[in-house]
């Protein structure tokens, strides 16, 4: 699939691979140096069966063959203190060094190879998934809401350059990637063309619009929703290819203005927007048995608000809503409990 441009779906380690390996090797050599110094200090307790003289090179040699359990027998501990040192100090160091190098072999060969293979399998199977580009305030809220709405976290992919943000996203069980969402290879790695929908919230309008352009270039038919904060950029976002443009500043203003006419309006709008409220807004295609019926007689038991027919929004008070047709998309309000039971 992406043999030449493999991108892992997990956040990168904070310490580079060679840095981690260097720390392990440094700790192992520090232990060896400590044992060498101990042997040199207690060299009187050692005997060289070849020439009878213990030099510093002999001490280094004896330390290495002792720690590696080779033991040729040409140099050996003869005093009680030297044997105690071998039993109490050298043996634990020998075990520690063994675990360091065995652990390094596991982490850098077995574990990483397995993780790369597992992530490649996940990428190959990605389809009909939700891609969230940007995990700031809006992105994190949307992912949490998606999970609350029953979407399998394994079908959600979050892309963000921040390791700290991805660590929080990973706690929800979603797939994560530390990468630049404006790059083609990043979006190809998460099979953007096979996604169910794409949510864009990069934190900056210019970056978000660039991401929308990139996504639309790679996935002409995938629905894109984007967050922009400046009114002037709403049109640009739509021209870039976004299907839905959300302006949190404008929406906040609408809530504030609505609260002037009644203290419960803002509360009800927030209730509609969240799956945790008593009611939910639901968008769906009209069923076959609903064709020919008015919008007030939906089989779901919900309260129909409007339909979309041939790209045109039609309110529940208009005549066209009295005769639902095949292919109409209805937006309705349903009680949360009824929606969950359904």
């Amino acid at each position: 699939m992406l043999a030449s441009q493999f991108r892992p779906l997990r956040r990168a380690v904070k310490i580079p691979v060679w840095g981690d390996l260097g720390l392990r090797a440094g700790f192992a050599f520090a232990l060896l140096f400590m044992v060498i110094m101990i042997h040199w200090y207690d060299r009187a307790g050692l005997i060289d069966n070849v020439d009878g003289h213990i030099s510093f090179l002999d001490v280094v040699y004896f330390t290495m063959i002792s720690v590696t359990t080779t033991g040729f027998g040409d140099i050996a501990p003869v005093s009680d203190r030297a044997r105690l040192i071998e039993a109490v100090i050298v043996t634990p160091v020998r075990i520690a060094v063994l675990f360091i190098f065995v652990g390094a072999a596991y982490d850098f060969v077995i574990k990483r190879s397995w993780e790369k293979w597992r992530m490649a399998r996940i990428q190959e199977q990605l389809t009909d998934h939700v891609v969230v580009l940007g995990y700031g305030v809006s992105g994190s809220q949307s992912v949490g809401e998606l999970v609350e709405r029953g979407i399998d976290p394994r079908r959600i992919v979050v892309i963000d350059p921040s390791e700290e943000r991805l660590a929080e996203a990973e706690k929800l069980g979603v797939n994560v990637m530390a990468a630049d969402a404006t790059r083609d290879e990043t979006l190809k790695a998460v099979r953007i063309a096979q996604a169910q929908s794409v949510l864009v919230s990069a934190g900056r309008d210019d970056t978000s619009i660039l991401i929308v352009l990139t996504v639309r270039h790679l996935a002409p038919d995938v629905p894109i929703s984007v967050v922009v904060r400046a009114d002037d950029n709403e049109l640009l976002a739509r021209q870039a290819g976004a299907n839905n443009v959300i302006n949190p500043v404008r929406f906040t203003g609408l809530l504030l203005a609505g609260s002037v006419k009644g203290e419960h309006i803002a509360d009800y709008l927030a209730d509609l927007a969240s799956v945790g409220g008593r009611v939910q807004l639901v968008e769906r295609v009209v069923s076959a048995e609903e064709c020919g019926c008015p919008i007030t007689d939906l089989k779901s038991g919900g309260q129909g608000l409007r339909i979309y027919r041939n790209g045109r929004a039609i309110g529940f008070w208009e005549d066209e809503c009295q005769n639902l047709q095949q292919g109409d998309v209805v937006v309705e309000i349903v009680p949360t409990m009824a929606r969950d039971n359904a």
Side-chain angles (χ1 to χ4, degrees):
M1 164 188 106
L2 293 167
S4 61
Q5 289 289 345
F6 176 80
R7 303 284 302 211
L9 283 179
R10 297 183 65 88
R11 62 190 178 94
V13 293
K14 292 185 177 181
I15 300 177
V17 173
W18 291 110
D20 190 9
L21 185 60
L23 288 175
R24 294 171 187 258
F27 183 61
F29 284 119
L31 290 176
L32 292 175
F33 181 76
M34 180 188 72
V35 175
I36 289 173
M37 291 297 98
I38 292 174
H39 281 156
W40 177 249
Y41 174 78
D42 191 53
R43 59 188 181 277
L46 303 177
I47 185 173
D48 188 339
N49 294 317
V50 177
D51 58 12
H53 174 68
I54 298 294
S55 65
F56 184 75
L57 181 60
D58 290 333
V59 168
V60 173
Y61 166 74
F62 174 67
T63 299
M64 298 306 294
I65 64 172
S66 296
V67 171
T68 58
T69 69
T70 305
F72 294 112
D74 48 350
I75 300 178
V78 292
S79 70
D80 290 340
R81 187 172 68 174
R83 290 174 179 174
L84 183 63
I85 289 174
E86 293 300 313
V88 176
I89 298 178
V90 178
T91 297
V93 169
R94 179 185 299 123
I95 296 173
V97 171
L98 178 64
F99 271 103
I100 288 173
F101 286 108
V102 170
Y106 170 75
D107 282 342
F108 294 105
V109 180
I110 301 174
K111 184 179 177 180
R112 292 180 185 274
S113 298
W114 164 256
E115 189 69 10
K116 183 176 180 179
W117 178 85
R118 190 173 73 88
M119 289 299 109
R121 290 290 297 166
I122 290 176
Q123 285 181 285
E124 290 173 0
Q125 297 170 4
L126 280 177
T127 183
D128 199 33
H129 52 296
V130 179
V131 180
V132 180
L133 305 177
Y135 198 74
V137 175
S138 299
S140 59
Q141 288 290 328
S142 64
V143 171
E145 187 71 17
L146 288 172
V147 174
E148 286 291 326
R149 290 175 180 266
I151 294 182
D152 188 347
R154 293 174 296 182
R155 293 182 50 236
I156 301 174
V157 177
V158 174
I159 298 178
D160 193 282
S162 170
E163 302 285 351
E164 290 74 19
R165 293 175 185 170
L166 292 182
E168 293 300 317
E170 203 169 13
K171 293 177 182 178
L172 298 176
V174 302
N175 303 299
V176 300
M177 176 187 289
D180 182 359
T182 64
R183 303 293 299 272
D184 285 10
E185 59 268 24
T186 298
L187 300 179
K188 289 177 181 178
V190 297
R191 296 169 62 88
I192 199 74
Q194 282 73 42
Q196 178 189 75
S197 60
V198 177
L199 310 181
V200 181
S201 179
R204 289 172 51 103
D205 286 1
D206 53 352
T207 305
S208 294
I209 292 173
L210 176 58
I211 292 174
V212 171
L213 281 169
T214 308
V215 173
R216 183 55 71 213
H217 165 68
L218 297 173
D221 301 321
V222 173
I224 304 173
S225 298
V226 61
V227 173
V228 297
R229 290 167 174 78
D231 293 346
D232 294 344
N233 291 329
E234 292 185 30
L235 178 59
L236 291 175
R238 293 191 183 278
Q239 291 176 338
N243 302 88
N244 298 297
V245 179
I246 301 165
N247 189 328
V249 177
R250 182 191 295 275
F251 185 70
T252 302
L254 293 176
L255 290 179
L256 287 173
S259 65
V260 173
K261 296 296 183 179
E263 59 180 307
H264 302 301
I265 293 178
D267 179 63
Y268 190 75
L269 289 175
D271 193 345
L272 282 175
S274 173
V275 71
R278 297 182 60 193
V279 292
Q280 295 182 48
L281 274 176
V282 177
E283 178 181 321
R284 62 178 178 85
V285 178
V286 170
S287 63
E289 56 268 26
E290 290 172 331
C291 292
C293 298
I295 196 173
T296 54
D297 191 23
L298 297 176
K299 301 304 180 184
S300 63
Q303 177 65 56
L305 299 178
R306 62 169 53 171
I307 63 171
Y308 287 86
R309 181 180 298 164
N310 299 322
R312 176 171 166 256
I314 305 171
F316 64 88
W317 64 90
E318 298 183 63
D319 293 337
E320 291 95 327
C321 280
Q322 305 311 308
N323 182 21
L324 299 178
Q325 299 179 9
Q326 184 177 4
D328 286 350
V329 176
V330 62
V331 176
E332 61 179 334
I333 297 176
V334 298
T336 300
M337 294 302 297
R339 176 69 176 170
D340 291 341
N341 293 335

